[in-house]
Amino acid sequence: MPHPSSDATRQAPHAIWRGINQTLKQDSMGGLLLLCATIAALILANSPAAPWYENLRDFTFGPESLHLNLSVGAWAADGLLAIFFFVVGLELKEEFVVGKLRNPRTALVPIAAAVGGVALPAVFYTLVITTSGSSAINGWAIPAATDIAFAVAVIAVVGKFLPPALRTFLLTLAVVDDLLAISIIAIFYTDDLAWLPLLFALLPLALFAIAVQRGVRAWWILIPLGVSVWALVHASGIHATVAGVLLGFMVPVIASKRARVNVGKNKDGEPVYEGLAAHFADRWSIASSIIAIPIFAFFAAGVAIGGFAGLRESLLSPVALGIIAGLILGKSIGITTATFLVTKLPGIELDRSIKWIDLLGMSFIAGIGFTVSLLVGELAFGAQGEEAQYVKVGVLCGSLLAAIIGALILGARNRTYRALQADMK
């Protein structure tokens, strides 16, 4: 989607939608690494190597004076995931400035789907918890998130011939889902807010904003400022990953004379530029999907199941049942129902290439709520204890079942679309 910049040169389409094949390939690799890290964590946590794994995860280091004497697992959740949320912030800003979310009519359908896909899982979890008499209501937001790396990876594997609009719908829904998840973390999972560090964080945040607006890309300037914002936000009591989003929001999207990157020339020989948001998203998304998320998963997913008896106990717990119900039923019903209702409004319709059965399959894929679900679980119940174990079992089993159901539906639809394309040739 070309967008003219202020000096009459041409600007490249923004990162997410510029190359959907590139996005799918990168997220597929990230999803594969995420799966491998999860399997490795589960094997280690349930093998004779469990003490080594737990000692590594619980080993602490860092300056105590700055409240940063954290365990390796906490560094992965608070530190490395900030990279993931920085990329999320960049993508969100791109969406609102030059992407699908700048046009209210175009954005309304996936936004409504995302809201339904966040609200209904929370309702299902709450119903299970309240009817069981459990007091674990604090985990209501655990099944609300969609793991975009896993979700896109599944579609890339089973949906080569699916309509491109379905992939675009999933990506847009996931972006809005991330925004809602970030808001939930910042509002509902922040205790004992310390205002002084939060106010101090505004200074390096402002310096970072000024630097990127002036086109500064030097790592030795931007990274120290970003780390300072992260450390101060962490000290304030707000989850430190929110700092990544704030930093992402500061980066300019539109290419200007100062803040732009030359990405080549068009067929007429004119220079083509992209904004710093697209430039940073392209580069940092690699570190996010290939390094940050798999390492987080490795330390977050390692739950000692305790054999079939332990697995049965965990699966029958209200926490796990609520999460599984939220991820499978809540996501699928919430997304499809919200989409159906909003398309009944005058002038609002689903892309004509997408059939309702395609949307249903995608809604199950959106029930893969791994990374952010595990993060919210840790914020709600901590990293240890019975409830933490139930959270991990619920997230893993719910995400796996949602992926299988969605893959079966979309796999069948993929064969249908492949046959139609073959008939047209």
Side-chain angles (χ1 to χ4, degrees):
M1 185 188 304
H3 186 96
S5 64
S6 57
D7 58 346
T9 55
R10 301 175 67 86
Q11 176 168 321
H14 74 125
I16 301 177
W17 313 108
R18 182 172 61 245
I20 196 164
N21 289 331
Q22 176 185 341
T23 302
L24 288 169
K25 288 178 181 177
Q26 183 169 295
D27 282 334
S28 298
M29 177 59 68
L32 177 62
L33 291 175
L34 189 55
L35 178 62
C36 292
T38 302
I39 293 173
L42 288 169
I43 291 173
L44 287 173
N46 293 277
S47 72
W52 172 85
Y53 171 79
E54 293 170 0
N55 289 335
L56 176 62
R57 181 191 60 200
D58 299 334
F59 177 77
T60 60
F61 66 97
E64 180 63 44
S65 58
L66 298 177
H67 305 286
L68 292 176
N69 185 29
L70 308 175
S71 68
V72 173
W75 275 110
D78 292 2
L80 287 178
L81 273 193
I83 299 174
F84 166 73
F85 279 100
F86 174 64
V87 176
V88 168
L90 293 169
E91 294 175 344
L92 281 170
K93 187 172 182 182
E94 287 188 290
E95 283 303 297
F96 284 116
V97 175
V98 296
K100 298 286 182 179
L101 300 182
R102 70 171 176 162
N103 184 335
R105 185 177 293 273
T106 304
L108 186 58
V109 178
I111 287 177
V115 172
V118 168
L120 262 292
V123 170
F124 271 89
Y125 178 91
T126 302
L127 287 174
V128 171
I129 293 298
T130 52
T131 54
S132 68
S134 172
S135 60
I137 195 66
N138 199 37
W140 61 271
I142 294 172
T146 294
D147 191 299
I148 185 59
F150 262 146
V152 171
V154 172
I155 284 191
V157 171
V158 305
K160 181 180 179 181
F161 296 94
L162 293 174
L166 187 68
R167 300 181 179 93
T168 302
F169 191 102
L170 174 62
L171 289 170
T172 307
L173 179 149
V175 167
V176 179
D177 186 286
D178 284 337
L179 177 61
L180 296 173
I182 292 161
S183 302
I184 289 170
I185 291 171
I187 296 171
F188 297 101
Y189 292 97
T190 296
D191 298 320
D192 302 323
L193 182 62
W195 287 101
L196 193 59
L198 192 60
L199 291 174
F200 281 147
L202 295 177
L203 178 59
L205 182 64
L207 293 175
F208 181 91
I210 292 171
V212 292
Q213 291 292 335
R214 291 176 174 271
V216 174
R217 288 185 281 158
W219 67 267
W220 51 272
I221 294 177
L222 298 183
I223 290 182
L225 288 173
V227 170
S228 298
V229 175
W230 174 86
L232 289 166
V233 170
H234 182 276
S236 73
I238 296 177
H239 197 267
T241 52
V242 174
V245 180
L246 295 175
L247 290 165
F249 281 167
M250 297 300 108
V251 182
V253 172
I254 302 297
S256 64
K257 276 192 174 183
R258 284 184 171 180
R260 66 185 185 183
V261 178
N262 190 322
V263 293
K265 296 183 178 181
N266 63 17
K267 61 182 180 180
D268 297 323
E270 298 173 313
V272 178
Y273 298 98
E274 67 180 5
L276 291 190
H279 176 74
F280 287 161
D282 282 344
R283 280 146 184 79
W284 283 97
S285 61
I286 297 174
S288 170
S289 60
I290 305 301
I291 299 174
I293 296 177
I295 292 177
F296 165 76
F298 179 75
F299 290 111
V303 53
I305 296 174
F308 287 109
L311 179 60
R312 181 176 180 275
E313 178 188 347
S314 296
L315 285 175
L316 293 178
S317 69
V319 170
L321 290 174
I323 293 171
I324 293 171
L327 291 175
I328 297 175
L329 299 177
K331 279 289 184 183
S332 58
I333 295 173
I335 290 172
T336 53
T337 302
T339 304
F340 177 78
L341 292 175
V342 77
T343 53
K344 294 302 178 183
L345 296 175
I348 305 298
E349 63 180 8
L350 187 64
D351 189 287
R352 294 183 179 181
S353 66
I354 301 175
K355 307 303 180 185
W356 283 102
I357 186 64
D358 302 333
L359 185 74
L360 178 63
M362 188 218 68
S363 70
F364 279 106
I365 296 296
I368 305 174
F370 191 83
T371 305
V372 181
S373 291
L374 289 176
L375 174 61
V376 174
E378 287 194 8
L379 295 176
F381 302 118
Q384 307 298 327
E386 283 189 351
E387 287 176 332
Q389 174 176 321
Y390 300 154
V391 166
K392 293 176 182 179
V393 170
V395 169
L396 292 172
C397 291
S399 297
L400 178 61
L401 289 172
I404 291 173
I405 296 171
L408 289 174
I409 295 174
L410 293 183
R413 294 296 297 161
N414 186 67
R415 290 190 292 272
T416 300
Y417 284 113
R418 181 174 59 185
L420 288 174
Q421 290 188 23
D423 291 340
M424 292 174 62
K425 291 182 179 179

